[in-house]
Amino acid sequence: MNKDRNFDDIAHKFAKNIYSSDKGGIRQTIVWQDMETILAENNAKSEPLTVLDAGGGIGQVSQQIAKRGHSVTLCDISSEMLKLAKEAVEDNGLLPQYQFIHTAVQQIEQYNVGEVDILLFHAVMEWLDNPKEALDILLKQVKPGGYASIMFYNHHGLVLKNVICGNIPHVLDGMPHRKRFKLQPQKGLMPNDVYQWIEDAGYEIKGKSGIRSFHDYIGNMEYMGDYQIEDVLKLEEQLCRQEPYLSLGRYIHVWAKRK
Ligand SMILES: C[S@@+](CC[C@H](N)C(=O)[O-])C[C@H]1O[C@@H](n2cnc3c(N)ncnc32)[C@H](O)[C@@H]1O
Protein backbone atom coordinates (compact mmCIF):
# COMPACT_ATOMS: atom_id res chain seq x y z
CA MET A 1 0.00 0.00 0.00
CA ASN A 2 1.21 3.49 -0.80
CA LYS A 3 1.76 5.42 2.46
CA ASP A 4 2.63 8.71 0.74
CA ARG A 5 0.45 11.72 1.43
CA ASN A 6 -2.22 12.09 -1.24
CA PHE A 7 -3.51 15.70 -1.17
CA ASP A 8 -7.08 14.90 -2.22
CA ASP A 9 -8.57 16.05 1.10
CA ILE A 10 -6.47 19.21 1.46
CA ALA A 11 -6.01 20.28 -2.18
CA HIS A 12 -8.18 23.40 -1.94
CA LYS A 13 -6.85 24.42 1.47
CA PHE A 14 -3.29 23.89 0.27
CA ALA A 15 -3.83 25.96 -2.84
CA LYS A 16 -5.37 28.81 -0.86
CA ASN A 17 -2.97 28.82 2.11
CA ILE A 18 0.31 28.08 0.47
CA TYR A 19 0.24 29.73 -2.90
CA SER A 20 -1.50 32.99 -2.08
CA SER A 21 0.54 34.00 0.98
CA ASP A 22 3.76 35.87 1.74
CA LYS A 23 5.37 32.47 2.29
CA GLY A 24 4.32 31.37 -1.20
CA GLY A 25 5.57 34.65 -2.65
CA ILE A 26 9.04 34.28 -1.12
CA ARG A 27 9.33 30.72 -2.36
CA GLN A 28 8.17 31.65 -5.84
CA THR A 29 10.66 34.55 -6.09
CA ILE A 30 13.71 32.57 -4.93
CA VAL A 31 12.94 29.41 -6.92
CA TRP A 32 12.19 31.43 -10.02
CA GLN A 33 15.56 33.23 -9.79
CA ASP A 34 17.26 29.81 -9.81
CA MET A 35 15.00 28.65 -12.63
CA GLU A 36 16.00 31.65 -14.76
CA THR A 37 19.61 30.49 -14.44
CA ILE A 38 18.64 26.93 -15.44
CA LEU A 39 16.68 28.22 -18.44
CA ALA A 40 19.55 30.50 -19.44
CA GLU A 41 21.96 27.53 -19.36
CA ASN A 42 19.55 25.74 -21.75
CA ASN A 43 19.30 28.76 -24.01
CA ALA A 44 21.27 27.23 -26.87
CA LYS A 45 18.54 24.65 -27.59
CA SER A 46 16.19 25.79 -30.35
CA GLU A 47 13.39 23.29 -29.61
CA PRO A 48 10.99 23.90 -26.73
CA LEU A 49 12.34 22.23 -23.60
CA THR A 50 10.58 19.26 -22.01
CA VAL A 51 9.75 19.49 -18.31
CA LEU A 52 8.50 16.84 -15.89
CA ASP A 53 6.69 18.39 -12.91
CA ALA A 54 6.62 15.41 -10.52
CA GLY A 55 4.06 15.64 -7.71
CA GLY A 56 3.32 18.91 -9.43
CA GLY A 57 0.28 20.05 -7.43
CA ILE A 58 -1.10 23.06 -9.25
CA GLY A 59 2.08 23.45 -11.24
CA GLN A 60 2.84 26.99 -10.19
CA VAL A 61 6.49 26.94 -11.29
CA SER A 62 5.97 24.75 -14.36
CA GLN A 63 3.27 27.11 -15.63
CA GLN A 64 5.73 29.96 -15.51
CA ILE A 65 8.13 27.82 -17.55
CA ALA A 66 5.34 26.88 -19.97
CA LYS A 67 4.64 30.59 -20.51
CA ARG A 68 8.08 30.69 -22.17
CA GLY A 69 6.83 28.14 -24.73
CA HIS A 70 8.09 24.91 -23.17
CA SER A 71 6.19 21.59 -22.79
CA VAL A 72 5.24 20.19 -19.40
CA THR A 73 4.17 16.76 -18.19
CA LEU A 74 2.65 17.11 -14.73
CA CYS A 75 1.96 14.03 -12.64
CA ASP A 76 0.34 13.81 -9.24
CA ILE A 77 -1.13 11.08 -7.06
CA SER A 78 -4.08 13.33 -6.17
CA SER A 79 -6.95 13.60 -8.65
CA GLU A 80 -8.21 16.70 -6.80
CA MET A 81 -4.85 18.41 -7.26
CA LEU A 82 -4.83 17.45 -10.93
CA LYS A 83 -8.31 18.94 -11.33
CA LEU A 84 -7.14 22.24 -9.80
CA ALA A 85 -4.00 22.14 -11.93
CA LYS A 86 -6.01 21.64 -15.14
CA GLU A 87 -8.30 24.56 -14.26
CA ALA A 88 -5.34 26.85 -13.55
CA VAL A 89 -3.49 25.76 -16.67
CA GLU A 90 -6.61 26.31 -18.78
CA ASP A 91 -7.21 29.75 -17.24
CA ASN A 92 -3.68 30.68 -18.23
CA GLY A 93 -4.19 29.43 -21.80
CA LEU A 94 -1.44 26.81 -21.46
CA LEU A 95 -3.42 23.58 -22.04
CA PRO A 96 -1.82 22.75 -25.43
CA GLN A 97 1.59 22.61 -23.74
CA TYR A 98 0.50 20.34 -20.87
CA GLN A 99 0.07 16.62 -20.41
CA PHE A 100 -1.44 15.43 -17.10
CA ILE A 101 -0.80 11.99 -15.64
CA HIS A 102 -2.61 10.66 -12.60
CA THR A 103 0.07 8.51 -11.00
CA ALA A 104 2.46 8.15 -8.11
CA VAL A 105 5.90 9.41 -9.12
CA GLN A 106 7.27 5.96 -8.29
CA GLN A 107 5.30 4.57 -11.26
CA ILE A 108 6.22 7.26 -13.78
CA GLU A 109 8.41 4.88 -15.80
CA GLN A 110 5.25 3.10 -16.99
CA TYR A 111 4.08 6.18 -18.88
CA ASN A 112 6.92 6.54 -21.39
CA VAL A 113 7.42 10.21 -20.69
CA GLY A 114 10.90 9.96 -22.20
CA GLU A 115 13.98 11.70 -20.87
CA VAL A 116 13.27 15.36 -20.13
CA ASP A 117 15.40 18.51 -20.15
CA ILE A 118 14.23 19.67 -16.72
CA LEU A 119 12.80 17.75 -13.78
CA LEU A 120 10.90 19.66 -11.09
CA PHE A 121 10.45 17.78 -7.83
CA HIS A 122 9.29 20.39 -5.36
CA ALA A 123 7.92 19.94 -1.85
CA VAL A 124 7.07 16.27 -2.34
CA MET A 125 9.87 14.22 -0.75
CA GLU A 126 8.87 15.20 2.79
CA TRP A 127 5.44 13.63 2.21
CA LEU A 128 6.83 10.28 1.05
CA ASP A 129 7.44 7.08 2.93
CA ASN A 130 10.67 6.47 1.02
CA PRO A 131 11.93 9.75 -0.48
CA LYS A 132 15.23 8.41 -1.78
CA GLU A 133 13.55 5.68 -3.81
CA ALA A 134 11.25 8.20 -5.49
CA LEU A 135 14.11 10.64 -6.14
CA ASP A 136 16.25 7.89 -7.70
CA ILE A 137 13.44 6.92 -10.09
CA LEU A 138 12.87 10.52 -11.13
CA LEU A 139 16.54 11.40 -11.58
CA LYS A 140 16.70 8.68 -14.24
CA GLN A 141 14.03 10.54 -16.24
CA VAL A 142 16.44 13.39 -17.08
CA LYS A 143 18.58 13.56 -20.25
CA PRO A 144 22.35 13.62 -19.86
CA GLY A 145 23.14 17.34 -19.67
CA GLY A 146 19.62 18.05 -18.37
CA TYR A 147 18.72 19.60 -15.02
CA ALA A 148 16.96 18.51 -11.83
CA SER A 149 15.38 21.16 -9.62
CA ILE A 150 14.58 19.73 -6.21
CA MET A 151 13.00 21.48 -3.25
CA PHE A 152 12.61 19.78 0.10
CA TYR A 153 11.50 20.52 3.68
CA ASN A 154 14.62 21.12 5.73
CA HIS A 155 15.12 19.24 9.00
CA HIS A 156 17.37 21.97 10.42
CA GLY A 157 14.81 24.68 9.72
CA LEU A 158 12.20 22.61 11.52
CA VAL A 159 14.41 22.25 14.60
CA LEU A 160 15.04 25.99 14.75
CA LYS A 161 11.38 26.87 14.22
CA ASN A 162 10.31 24.52 17.01
CA VAL A 163 12.91 25.92 19.38
CA ILE A 164 11.84 29.49 18.65
CA CYS A 165 8.24 28.49 19.38
CA GLY A 166 9.33 26.90 22.67
CA ASN A 167 8.55 23.35 21.57
CA ILE A 168 11.75 22.10 23.16
CA PRO A 169 10.39 18.74 24.46
CA HIS A 170 9.04 18.04 20.96
CA VAL A 171 12.53 18.60 19.53
CA LEU A 172 14.11 16.43 22.22
CA ASP A 173 11.56 13.70 21.32
CA GLY A 174 12.85 13.72 17.75
CA MET A 175 9.89 15.74 16.40
CA PRO A 176 7.41 12.89 15.72
CA HIS A 177 4.76 13.77 13.13
CA ARG A 178 1.69 15.47 14.63
CA LYS A 179 -1.42 14.58 12.66
CA ARG A 180 -3.36 17.70 13.63
CA PHE A 181 -1.04 19.90 11.56
CA LYS A 182 -2.40 18.72 8.23
CA LEU A 183 -0.46 21.11 6.04
CA GLN A 184 2.80 20.35 7.80
CA PRO A 185 4.95 17.65 6.19
CA GLN A 186 5.53 14.35 7.94
CA LYS A 187 9.27 14.92 8.32
CA GLY A 188 12.14 17.19 7.39
CA LEU A 189 15.00 15.90 5.27
CA MET A 190 18.68 16.15 6.14
CA PRO A 191 20.23 18.39 3.47
CA ASN A 192 23.48 16.41 3.32
CA ASP A 193 21.53 13.20 2.64
CA VAL A 194 19.66 14.78 -0.25
CA TYR A 195 22.86 16.27 -1.74
CA GLN A 196 24.54 12.86 -1.51
CA TRP A 197 21.60 11.07 -3.19
CA ILE A 198 21.71 13.59 -6.06
CA GLU A 199 25.47 13.21 -6.55
CA ASP A 200 25.30 9.42 -6.28
CA ALA A 201 22.76 9.45 -9.13
CA GLY A 202 25.40 11.02 -11.41
CA TYR A 203 24.62 14.72 -11.05
CA GLU A 204 26.75 17.77 -10.39
CA ILE A 205 25.11 20.17 -7.93
CA LYS A 206 25.14 23.65 -9.43
CA GLY A 207 23.25 25.72 -6.86
CA LYS A 208 21.43 25.77 -3.54
CA SER A 209 19.08 28.32 -2.01
CA GLY A 210 17.40 28.55 1.36
CA ILE A 211 13.68 29.22 1.09
CA ARG A 212 12.41 31.32 3.99
CA SER A 213 15.68 31.51 5.91
CA PHE A 214 14.27 34.45 7.90
CA HIS A 215 10.56 34.97 7.38
CA ASP A 216 9.33 32.20 9.68
CA TYR A 217 11.66 33.07 12.53
CA ILE A 218 10.59 36.67 13.00
CA GLY A 219 9.04 36.78 16.46
CA ASN A 220 5.77 38.30 17.47
CA MET A 221 7.16 40.48 20.26
CA GLU A 222 5.58 43.59 21.60
CA TYR A 223 8.32 45.77 20.20
CA MET A 224 9.34 44.96 16.70
CA GLY A 225 11.65 46.95 14.48
CA ASP A 226 10.00 48.74 11.58
CA TYR A 227 9.95 46.68 8.43
CA GLN A 228 7.70 45.74 5.54
CA ILE A 229 7.26 42.33 3.98
CA GLU A 230 9.20 43.68 0.97
CA ASP A 231 12.22 44.17 3.27
CA VAL A 232 12.00 40.55 4.41
CA LEU A 233 11.94 39.43 0.79
CA LYS A 234 14.99 41.61 0.03
CA LEU A 235 16.83 40.04 2.96
CA GLU A 236 15.93 36.54 1.80
CA GLU A 237 17.14 37.34 -1.73
CA GLN A 238 20.38 38.84 -0.45
CA LEU A 239 21.45 36.02 1.90
CA CYS A 240 19.60 32.82 0.90
CA ARG A 241 22.47 31.41 -1.18
CA GLN A 242 25.17 31.75 1.46
CA GLU A 243 25.84 29.86 4.67
CA PRO A 244 24.75 29.71 7.38
CA TYR A 245 21.43 31.20 6.19
CA LEU A 246 21.03 28.73 3.30
CA SER A 247 20.95 25.78 5.69
CA LEU A 248 18.40 27.53 7.94
CA GLY A 249 15.76 27.77 5.20
CA ARG A 250 12.46 26.10 6.00
CA TYR A 251 12.92 24.54 2.55
CA ILE A 252 16.02 24.16 0.43
CA HIS A 253 16.04 24.40 -3.35
CA VAL A 254 18.94 22.49 -4.88
CA TRP A 255 19.52 22.24 -8.60
CA ALA A 256 21.89 19.95 -10.41
CA LYS A 257 23.04 18.94 -13.89
CA ARG A 258 23.11 15.33 -15.06
CA LYS A 259 26.62 14.39 -16.19
C1 LIG B 1 3.16 20.09 -1.04
S1 LIG B 1 2.48 19.59 -2.55
C2 LIG B 1 3.65 20.25 -3.70
C3 LIG B 1 3.05 20.53 -5.03
C4 LIG B 1 3.96 21.22 -6.03
N1 LIG B 1 5.07 20.38 -6.40
C5 LIG B 1 4.46 22.52 -5.48
O1 LIG B 1 5.68 22.66 -5.27
O2 LIG B 1 3.68 23.42 -5.26
C6 LIG B 1 2.82 17.86 -2.60
C7 LIG B 1 2.15 17.18 -3.78
O3 LIG B 1 2.70 15.86 -3.89
C8 LIG B 1 1.63 14.98 -4.22
N2 LIG B 1 2.11 13.62 -3.89
C9 LIG B 1 2.30 13.05 -2.68
N3 LIG B 1 2.80 11.81 -2.82
C10 LIG B 1 2.94 11.59 -4.15
C11 LIG B 1 3.43 10.51 -4.92
N4 LIG B 1 3.88 9.39 -4.38
N5 LIG B 1 3.43 10.63 -6.27
C12 LIG B 1 2.96 11.77 -6.86
N6 LIG B 1 2.49 12.83 -6.19
C13 LIG B 1 2.49 12.75 -4.84
C14 LIG B 1 0.45 15.50 -3.44
O4 LIG B 1 -0.78 15.01 -3.92
C15 LIG B 1 0.64 17.01 -3.64
O5 LIG B 1 -0.01 17.49 -4.78
Side-chain angles (χ1 to χ4, degrees):
M1 203 190 75
N2 194 325
K3 284 196 261 160
D4 300 344
R5 181 61 160 94
N6 181 312
F7 269 43
D8 275 348
D9 60 327
I10 50 170
H12 289 264
K13 199 170 170 192
F14 174 79
K16 190 165 152 277
N17 284 20
I18 308 291
Y19 292 123
S20 52
S21 61
D22 289 342
K23 287 183 177 185
I26 292 170
R27 168 204 162 168
Q28 189 64 11
T29 302
I30 304 295
V31 170
W32 187 250
Q33 286 171 351
D34 291 344
M35 204 54 64
E36 293 263 31
T37 314
I38 296 175
L39 291 172
E41 291 198 10
N42 274 286
N43 216 1
K45 297 186 184 146
S46 52
E47 297 278 303
L49 300 171
T50 51
V51 178
L52 172 60
D53 194 354
I58 295 166
Q60 208 191 21
V61 174
S62 63
Q63 287 188 60
Q64 231 175 316
I65 300 176
K67 282 182 188 158
R68 301 265 179 101
H70 304 300
S71 308
V72 179
T73 299
L74 185 152
C75 78
D76 203 288
I77 201 172
S78 157
S79 52
E80 272 307 308
M81 267 298 186
L82 282 175
K83 220 158 70 184
L84 291 177
K86 273 182 207 162
E87 284 169 17
V89 166
E90 189 165 20
D91 287 350
N92 288 322
L94 297 167
L95 266 187
Q97 286 153 255
Y98 262 82
Q99 180 189 190
F100 298 94
I101 305 179
H102 184 203
T103 182
V105 296
Q106 294 89 337
Q107 264 87 57
I108 193 68
E109 287 159 319
Q110 295 170 16
Y111 292 86
N112 300 319
V113 174
E115 288 185 333
V116 295
D117 293 298
I118 301 174
L119 163 73
L120 305 182
F121 194 33
H122 290 179
V124 184
M125 276 202 287
E126 55 273 14
W127 300 95
L128 304 183
D129 194 38
N130 186 343
K132 180 181 186 301
E133 179 201 29
L135 181 66
D136 279 342
I137 291 169
L138 288 168
L139 289 174
K140 287 191 194 124
Q141 295 285 136
V142 177
K143 286 177 191 166
Y147 290 79
S149 153
I150 293 152
M151 190 177 98
F152 61 91
Y153 196 54
N154 175 18
H155 172 86
H156 303 310
L158 186 58
V159 170
L160 188 56
K161 177 68 184 169
N162 269 302
V163 171
I164 285 173
C165 293
N167 300 327
I168 316 276
H170 180 59
V171 175
L172 292 172
D173 279 352
M175 301 188 294
H177 179 56
R178 294 178 293 183
K179 280 216 169 78
R180 70 198 147 105
F181 298 107
K182 277 198 158 186
L183 286 181
Q184 197 180 79
Q186 305 177 17
K187 56 180 173 264
L189 285 109
M190 291 291 187
N192 283 341
D193 288 349
V194 179
Y195 304 151
Q196 193 64 54
W197 299 342
I198 293 171
E199 285 173 352
D200 288 350
Y203 282 74
E204 180 195 351
I205 292 179
K206 305 272 289 182
K208 298 170 190 163
S209 309
I211 310 286
R212 304 199 327 255
S213 296
F214 303 103
H215 173 276
D216 295 22
Y217 307 123
I218 299 171
N220 195 11
M221 314 282 183
E222 203 171 309
Y223 174 76
M224 290 285 290
D226 282 336
Y227 70 90
Q228 309 293 326
I229 181 65
E230 292 75 24
D231 299 321
V232 180
L233 180 58
K234 262 192 217 154
L235 185 70
E236 303 273 1
E237 288 181 71
Q238 201 175 90
L239 298 176
C240 72
R241 295 181 181 87
Q242 72 186 57
E243 295 292 3
Y245 315 108
L246 192 174
S247 292
L248 298 181
R250 298 303 310 278
Y251 287 80
I252 291 178
H253 179 232
V254 48
W255 56 281
K257 184 173 183 175
R258 188 165 186 187
K259 291 179 189 163

